Amino acid sequence: MTAVLEGLGVAVPQRVVTNLDLERVLDTSDEWIRTRTGIGERRVADPGVATADLAVEAGARALKSAGGGPVDMVVVATTSPDRVVPATAPEVASRIGLEPVAAFDLNAVCSGFVYALAVAAGMLDGHATQRVLVIGAETLSRITDPADRSTAVLFGDGGGAAVLRRGEPGESGAFGPFDLGSDGSMADSLAMPAGGSRRPASTSTLTGREHYMRLDGKAVYRHAIARMVASSRAALDAARLSAGDIDRFVGHQANLRILDAVADRLGIAPQRRVVNVDRYGNTSAASIPLALADAQLAPGQRVLLTAFGGGFTWGATTLTWPRLATV
Ligand code: UT7
């Protein structure tokens, strides 16, 4: 038995913030952002729009793409939940009209969607679950310091969702084995310092701008390449595939240079890699489904997915692209 993809949906805010918009408010330049990251613009949610709103929209679209029907479980991968307590997923399930299904959040930062797919596949393998709605949604703009040029240019908002059902290996849409990993010794390299039990909110955390993400770009950059390469190799090995079998490479959309380096080290030709970081920036847990939806994949194409994020966390898997209804 394996998990099979049968629906995909996305939701992005209408508002576009270009590099030129950022040039006006920050000591940065379109040239710096493009050459260092490949990002040209990103979407930003209007005030009042939260992660659950994007998750509901993307989730409903994925269900429509899958032809409707019941699901047993909703997993929302997010780093920017509506609230610390409770989780975002129960509200999302309820608003889509799915209650009383099992619903929970999963935080693996930018690897969240791949982790959530793996969890869903495991639940489907347990046979008590028939169908899972997996959502990756973020409003990173809420936890990004608009005055910090080292992060403000990188992140964007968005959501994406997939419906997974139980199926057989070799079926169209079937996922291969998953490789997942983490290295908590690097936790501080991409972190929001305050707001949790370690440093609860206080006047000093607010004035210190500790409720925004902080990034050690160089450390993340280095590890991202090494881990995504190793994880991709492990997922390929487990699926008994080689890089030459891969038609399209969908890596976490954080930085075009990272995508290029990972594809190059794996021996995947540049034209096979999917790129939409230029239009959305880094949308963390939403990045993989947004890239899948953008990639114009053809049924039967063999796809390699890999992601890396704060934690550190990473993961990879393969799948054979199915015929999907677009909504
Ligand atoms: O989502 C999880 C995965 N996240 C990532 O993969 C992010 C990984 N890291 C990266 O993508 C890159 O490290 C960055 C894009 C974040 C930074 O690129 P970099 O080539 O590593 O630049 P840097 O951090 O070494 O900064 C180089 C210079 C610095 O100036 P000095 O010290 O050399 O004078 C920075 O202050 O660029 C400066 N800088 C900027 N300049 C203009 C940093 N941010 C900006 C900016 N505009 N926005």
Side-chain angles (χ1 to χ4, degrees):
M1 144 32 252
T2 191
V4 168
L5 177 69
E6 61 168 10
L8 185 72
V10 295
V12 289
Q14 297 256 305
R15 185 148 67 97
V16 175
V17 174
T18 65
N19 293 346
L20 299 177
D21 294 329
L22 293 177
E23 266 186 17
R24 284 183 211 111
V25 291
L26 279 172
D27 179 17
T28 189
S29 67
D30 177 54
E31 201 264 331
W32 190 96
I33 302 169
R34 278 185 197 276
T35 52
R36 300 288 177 134
T37 71
I39 298 169
E41 60 186 44
R42 69 287 293 144
R43 301 298 179 101
V44 175
D46 284 332
V49 174
T51 294
D53 302 320
L54 298 173
V56 166
E57 211 178 314
R61 288 200 176 125
L63 278 169
K64 199 166 165 208
S65 146
V71 299
D72 313 293
M73 179 174 287
V74 176
V75 188
V76 175
T78 187
T79 317
S80 45
D82 285 26
R83 294 170 283 208
V84 175
V85 179
T88 306
E91 179 188 328
V92 171
S94 175
R95 283 172 56 189
I96 299 178
L98 298 172
E99 62 188 5
V101 296
F104 60 95
D105 288 4
L106 186 156
N107 180 351
V109 196
C110 302
S111 313
F113 196 77
V114 174
Y115 262 70
L117 290 174
V119 168
M123 293 303 296
L124 292 165
D125 201 21
H127 284 257
T129 307
Q130 307 290 330
R131 238 167 147 231
V132 183
L133 177 59
V134 174
I135 304 176
E138 303 281 9
T139 42
L140 295 177
S141 56
R142 305 293 185 259
I143 56 169
T144 303
D145 187 344
D148 176 5
R149 69 176 183 174
S150 71
T151 52
V153 303
L154 302 177
F155 299 112
D157 299 338
V163 177
L164 269 58
R165 67 166 168 81
R166 183 139 30 103
E168 296 303 322
E171 256 192 79
S172 166
F175 283 91
F178 286 81
D179 177 73
L180 301 177
S182 74
D183 177 0
S185 72
M186 300 301 290
D188 289 338
S189 299
L190 202 181
M192 185 165 87
S197 58
R198 179 75 57 197
R199 280 186 69 70
S202 67
T203 312
S204 119
T205 64
L206 273 178
T207 51
R209 303 181 87 80
E210 292 183 51
H211 296 271
Y212 290 128
M213 280 186 289
R214 291 192 187 158
L215 170 72
D216 175 354
K218 283 233 183 295
V220 176
Y221 188 97
R222 236 184 14 257
H223 283 82
I225 295 169
R227 295 300 191 182
M228 282 195 280
V229 169
S231 193
S232 296
R233 285 192 180 129
L236 286 169
D237 283 351
R240 296 173 195 276
L241 295 171
S242 69
D245 298 316
I246 295 303
D247 298 303
R248 302 302 301 275
F249 165 63
V250 179
H252 170 51
Q253 306 284 310
N255 185 317
L256 181 57
R257 291 189 295 147
I258 295 177
L259 288 172
D260 283 346
V262 174
D264 182 58
R265 288 190 197 182
L266 289 171
I268 292 173
Q271 64 272 19
R272 299 199 171 188
R273 67 185 180 18
V274 172
V275 176
N276 71 356
V277 68
D278 52 328
R279 285 178 295 122
Y280 296 117
N282 180 350
T283 58
S284 191
S287 134
I288 294 280
L290 282 175
L292 287 174
D294 253 15
Q296 299 188 310
L297 299 164
Q301 283 190 324
R302 196 103 62 173
V303 184
L304 170 65
L305 305 182
T306 187
F308 177 90
F312 290 151
T313 57
W314 56 86
T317 190
T318 54
L319 85 154
T320 313
W321 197 249
R323 188 168 298 284
L324 288 183
T326 46
V327 294

